[in-house]
Amino acid sequence: MKSAGPVADGWAREDLEALSAKGLRRVLEPLDSPQGAEVRLGDERLINFSSNDYLGLAASPAVRAAAVSALERYGVGTGASRLVVGDMVPHQQLEARLARFERAEAVRLFNSGYAANTGILPALVGPGDAVFSDALNHASLVDGCRLSRARVVVYPHADAGALARALADTPARRKLVVTDSVFSMDGDVAPLRELVEACEAHGAALMVDEAHATGVLGPRGAGLCEALGLEDRVDLRMGTLSKALGGLGAYVATSRAVADLLVSRARPFVYSTALPAALCAAAACAVDLVEHDPTLRERLWGHVHRFTAGLRVLGLPAEARSAIFPVILGEPARAMDAAKRLREAGLLVKAIRPPTVPEGTSRLRFCLSAAHSTDHIDLALEALRRVGVSRVQS
């Protein structure tokens, strides 16, 4: 009997050839430096505009010191899920710290944003229920909707009116609306106030993924819900530890009852080995910095406004809504070529292609950080001008 290996290998080779022909094959490029405004990739030293490290905390000395201290006390791994023997004091401390930060009754930790979104939705809804999802929601929310086995209703991007009509027209035992607050590929924000009103009018729960807003938006950095004063009107707010907070993991801020239910129902929580204690300590330190040092956000938003103005001078559409700026080029080959030319100019700006974004919208995705200098921002704008990206219309 033949082994399965050569058969699967043939499948893989066939699929890789098809991906390559479409310009959609991915490759890994390991950094040989910490995350930061400048990184080392092989022999190249590049200005990094592709990281979600919005506040520059991934390599923060204070955050690293907190991780090292916990590493020495608690070791590397946790050995089990939190429901067995993997629950440690730093997990409990971080959940309590995040609950204060989010001004929520309770917080539940997850190992990643993907684990959170694919665990929370199936824990709350199932057959006989309906989930209403923005058309441009992150893949983790899309997969969470599918795994829930509830009816999935996709409403047009950021269209609160269409959502309200769908809520009115869809019979279901329970109705749950899910949306990103900041959309990761376009950098725009959800019409959150209108979504809240639609949910309240139709008895629906609302879950907001704040992954790209945590640390960036709001007077204390708690996200779009805080910025709009809607914390008490949103049922679940998912935040991440891996972007502006510089580490790894995610959490959901919610009621005590929902948090307790997730301990028994959220499969990624129940069946995953717990986050290392060192990462929990690092995240707690990062939350302190975010909440008590507004200069980090002020610096980031200074860059956002500077970059917005510069893109407009180049004839590119831009709004100061978040730290994410797409430059849409159309076909994958065009985006890959632009990324290559920017790299030759010393900038690391990754091309984003389908299926991450819709067909025909391949793009460069610039992510700004408080770690950047104004010189970095100006160099990026000059590089865009020199490579001719300014002539491309989105």
Side-chain angles (χ1 to χ4, degrees):
M1 174 183 261
K2 284 187 176 182
S3 69
V7 176
D9 181 78
W11 296 343
R13 290 175 184 273
E14 180 182 346
D15 289 351
L16 286 170
E17 288 178 7
L19 288 171
S20 295
K22 296 176 181 177
L24 299 179
R25 183 170 177 175
R26 269 70 170 168
V27 296
L28 296 173
E29 292 189 290
L31 298 183
D32 191 22
S33 67
Q35 285 291 336
E38 297 185 14
V39 294
R40 189 167 56 251
L41 206 164
D43 295 330
E44 298 175 280
R45 191 79 185 181
L46 300 167
I47 302 171
N48 182 13
F49 282 100
S50 288
S51 174
N52 297 321
D53 182 23
Y54 298 124
L55 298 180
L57 294 179
S60 158
V63 174
R64 285 191 289 182
V68 168
S69 177
L71 181 67
E72 292 175 344
R73 179 171 181 179
Y74 293 99
V76 177
T78 51
S81 77
R82 290 181 67 187
L83 286 173
V84 185
V85 292
D87 192 27
M88 295 183 171
V89 169
H91 296 104
Q92 300 283 342
Q93 291 174 333
L94 178 57
E95 287 180 334
R97 180 66 185 90
L98 286 166
R100 295 195 301 275
F101 176 59
E102 293 282 353
R103 294 176 177 165
E105 281 188 7
V107 157
R108 189 62 64 223
L109 285 173
F110 287 85
N111 286 11
S112 69
Y114 194 94
N117 286 340
T118 57
I120 293 167
L121 272 68
L124 293 177
V125 293
D129 302 326
V131 183
F132 302 80
S133 176
D134 188 287
L136 293 187
N137 273 346
H138 189 267
S140 58
L141 285 174
V142 173
D143 290 352
C145 290
R146 292 168 176 165
L147 288 169
S148 75
R149 296 184 296 158
R151 178 180 177 182
V152 179
V153 179
V154 178
Y155 63 90
H157 176 54
D159 190 335
L163 170 64
R165 291 189 293 274
L167 286 168
D169 295 341
T170 306
R173 182 183 64 124
R174 294 175 176 174
K175 299 178 183 181
L176 173 64
V177 176
V178 293
T179 184
D180 287 334
S181 60
V182 172
F183 291 86
S184 62
M185 291 298 113
D186 291 281
D188 60 330
V189 299
L192 203 52
R193 195 177 303 281
E194 292 81 1
L195 298 184
V196 166
E197 292 170 356
C199 288
E200 290 176 346
H202 297 281
L206 176 60
M207 175 177 167
V208 177
D209 182 330
E210 296 264 39
H212 293 273
T214 302
V216 175
L217 298 178
R220 296 178 305 106
L224 183 62
C225 292
E226 183 203 16
L228 298 176
L230 297 172
E231 304 103 306
D232 293 339
R233 297 170 68 184
V234 174
D235 296 85
L236 302 101
R237 289 169 278 143
M238 198 285 285
T240 183
L241 310 177
S242 63
K243 295 179 174 60
L245 297 181
L248 179 69
Y251 63 92
V252 61
T254 187
S255 71
R256 171 59 61 187
V258 172
D260 288 347
L261 179 66
L262 294 175
V263 171
S264 296
R265 285 264 188 91
R267 292 171 70 86
F269 180 91
V270 173
Y271 297 110
S272 294
T273 296
L275 280 172
L279 290 176
C280 295
C285 177
V287 171
D288 287 341
L289 293 173
V290 167
E291 187 166 20
H292 300 305
D293 185 5
T295 61
L296 289 171
R297 279 189 305 287
E298 290 167 4
R299 183 176 176 83
L300 171 62
W301 278 95
H303 294 335
V304 167
H305 289 294
R306 189 181 189 93
F307 198 58
T308 299
L311 289 177
R312 289 175 177 172
V313 169
L314 294 175
L316 293 167
E319 293 185 45
R321 302 172 295 192
S322 71
I324 301 166
F325 290 84
V327 178
I328 299 173
L329 300 177
E331 296 308 310
R334 195 172 193 181
M336 293 293 287
D337 179 66
K340 178 177 179 291
R341 287 183 290 151
L342 288 176
R343 187 157 170 171
E344 291 168 352
L347 274 63
L348 182 59
V349 187
K350 292 284 188 172
I352 308 296
R353 298 161 286 164
T356 306
V357 294
E359 294 284 347
T361 69
S362 291
R363 66 195 64 188
L364 301 172
R365 176 178 178 264
F366 283 84
C367 293
L368 307 190
S369 171
H372 287 126
S373 67
T374 55
D375 285 345
H376 290 144
I377 303 300
D378 292 343
L379 283 168
L381 293 166
E382 175 59 18
L384 282 169
R385 186 193 66 78
R386 283 192 284 111
V387 302
V389 172
S390 60
R391 293 190 295 273
V392 177
Q393 298 300 313
S394 66

